[in-house]
Amino acid sequence: MINITVGDIEKVTEGKLIYGERNIICENFCRDSREIEPGDTYIGIKGERVDGNTFYEEALKKGATCLILENVNIPDEVLKKYSHFAIIMVENTIEALQKIANYKRNLYKIPVIAITGSVGKTSTKDIVAEVVSEKYKVLKTQGNLNNHIGLPLTILNLRDHEAMVVELGMSHLGEISTIAKIAKPTIAIITNVGTAHIGNLGSRENILKAKMEILDGLQEGGTLIINNDNDLLHKWNLEHRENINVITYGIQNESDVMAYNIAQDEDGSNYNTKIQDREYNVKVKIGGEHFVYNSLCAIAVGLKLGITMEKILEGILNFKLTEKRMEISTNKKGILIINDCYNANYDSMKAAIEYLGKLSNKRKIAVLGDMLELGEQGPKMHAGLADKIDPKEVDEVFLCGSLMKNLAEALTDKFDQGKIHHYATGEKEQLVSDLKERLRSEDMVMLKGSHGIHLEDVLAELR
């Protein structure tokens, strides 16, 4: 394992060691004083509501051996209470965190796969990591640690790992560029360019520009892997492919890795793909066309890293989704529940609705919550979902949130009376009551909405 010392941190952050020894080893890094374990390095970060720099004594009480802080005066009487620790003062702890992560990343000569996109980052990360783990010991992004703080913290978890798979998230221009330069991927992936954060960026073209910032950190000789069926990525590929190593995957447009003969049900998908003139059957245990795309991406990564196709297929078969993303279960009354309420934007909502519509002939009910962060385009984009909801494929629709009122109005003429139900965000109890009254044994219910709408409250009542 490659060790980082207090002296290394002092040097790379251009900070000042005000207490302790430079030879203390800093192995585990933590930004939450409540989660400190003995021997950890604590980084105090000032947030919108809480200043982590003020919790230095709590960190020391729990056994932190190094503190990285900004703008804090620590009384001598506090220092005298504890032993064998160091304190480094820096101008900005977030910038210091990024510099330390950049330093540690440079110590590792390993494959690094970085993933961005409007939809599917987490599920693609999970399936790619599973495939890569067939050959390497892999570190991957946990939870939502995909921003200017989370990505550096992930990198600082590197130990004896042989490969790393990370998500790069953003909500504004410039953010992916910053963290891509820290991650320094050898393989960069863009799953798609949709409408997530369009309220901040203004147009899909600006979203494409933001996603392409991943190339700012791509190592020389690195590879870009893209979804060639996404309209903007397809166009970009036609115009810029000659300037970079590009691998494409897709179903519709001619691509390097393709799927055909696709069969789907609630238990997953089967499809065929041809690699070097040999045909393979691919089984994905999670349903939905978007997971076919994810698996194609994983195949492209695996082949690039020299993993055999047999091992790649094992990895795809073994991968599990992060919690609250397309979880399928059956409750005591025999009702099939599809839980996809971790988050939502226009593109992922469309994909979920299309997936529900393609499932078997059971009675199907969609429970949809507001899609947030769409800015002034929110009402129009919610209403636009009406084109994706076919009364021949979805029997009833329960909508939650002020923005979903636009969809309710747009669906009125398409559905019979009493099949469209709308509730304010604070009316979930009524939604649950009405939904339970309508449900029958062997019905199928899908829940999808932005995390801020908290459809998990509805989910808990259905289980």
Side-chain angles (χ1 to χ4, degrees), residues 4 12 58 63 167 178 181 195 209 220 272 285 312 325 330 336 346 349 365 376 394 406 409 438 441 453 456:
I4 295 178
V12 301
E58 181 179 352
E167 282 183 52
T178 296
K181 289 174 182 175
T195 57
K209 183 178 179 181
E220 186 175 352
N272 293 336
K285 287 185 177 179
I312 291 172
R325 287 177 167 90
T330 303
L336 188 81
Y346 182 74
M349 186 71 81
I365 297 172
E376 57 187 33
V394 180
N406 298 278
E409 293 172 352
R438 308 282 290 187
S441 178
I453 303 301
E456 62 268 21

Side-chain angles (χ1 to χ4, degrees), residues 345-387:
N345 56 47
Y346 182 74
D347 304 281
S348 65
M349 186 71 81
K350 281 198 308 179
I353 293 168
E354 288 169 0
Y355 167 62
L356 180 64
K358 290 178 180 178
L359 295 181
S360 61
N361 293 326
K362 295 179 181 179
R363 212 169 65 102
K364 291 173 283 189
I365 297 172
V367 180
L368 310 177
D370 280 357
M371 304 174 291
L372 306 179
E373 298 183 358
L374 294 177
E376 57 187 33
Q377 297 191 46
K380 178 181 177 181
M381 296 182 78
H382 280 76
L385 287 173
D387 294 337

Side-chain angles (χ1 to χ4, degrees), residues 122-256:
T122 298
S123 54
T124 304
K125 175 256 303 182
D126 288 338
I127 195 168
V128 167
E130 195 67 51
V131 166
V132 176
S133 68
E134 292 290 328
K135 181 177 180 180
Y136 301 96
K137 182 175 181 180
V138 176
L139 172 68
K140 70 174 183 177
T141 299
Q142 298 296 321
N144 61 350
L145 295 177
N146 64 6
N147 63 7
H148 64 299
I149 295 173
L151 183 278
L153 287 170
T154 297
I155 291 174
L156 290 175
N157 281 325
L158 279 168
R159 301 289 184 271
D160 58 345
H161 299 97
E162 301 165 321
M164 182 167 64
V165 181
V166 293
E167 282 183 52
L168 306 186
M170 66 91 203
S171 55
H172 296 87
L173 286 166
E175 293 177 346
I176 286 181
S177 179
T178 296
I179 55 181
K181 289 174 182 175
I182 298 171
K184 298 179 181 65
T186 57
I187 298 174
I189 296 167
I190 306 178
T191 62
N192 46 56
V193 177
T195 57
H197 307 296
I198 199 168
N200 296 330
L201 292 162
S203 68
R204 290 184 66 223
E205 287 70 24
N206 279 342
I207 295 171
L208 172 66
K209 183 178 179 181
K211 299 304 180 186
M212 282 300 165
E213 290 174 5
I214 198 170
L215 298 179
D216 294 348
L218 186 64
Q219 290 193 16
E220 186 175 352
T223 297
L224 174 66
I225 298 176
I226 60 173
N227 176 354
N228 202 31
D229 287 347
N230 180 265
D231 58 342
L232 292 185
L233 289 175
H234 178 68
K235 180 181 177 183
W236 181 93
N237 182 48
L238 294 177
E239 295 173 350
H240 300 282
R241 183 176 185 135
E242 68 277 5
N243 299 322
I244 190 170
N245 299 321
V246 178
I247 297 175
T248 59
Y249 63 93
I251 298 172
Q252 301 162 5
N253 293 320
E254 187 67 30
S255 303
D256 298 310

Side-chain angles (χ1 to χ4, degrees), residues 10 53 121 141 146 197 261 274 276 320 373 457:
E10 181 188 24
N53 293 281
K121 290 187 295 296
T141 299
N146 64 6
H197 307 296
N261 296 336
K274 186 173 287 186
Q276 295 178 346
K320 297 179 177 63
E373 298 183 358
D457 298 339

Side-chain angles (χ1 to χ4, degrees), residues 35-53:
E35 298 176 359
I36 288 284
E37 299 287 342
D40 283 358
T41 293
Y42 175 67
I43 304 176
I45 292 178
K46 186 174 182 179
E48 294 181 3
R49 291 174 292 181
V50 177
D51 185 355
N53 293 281

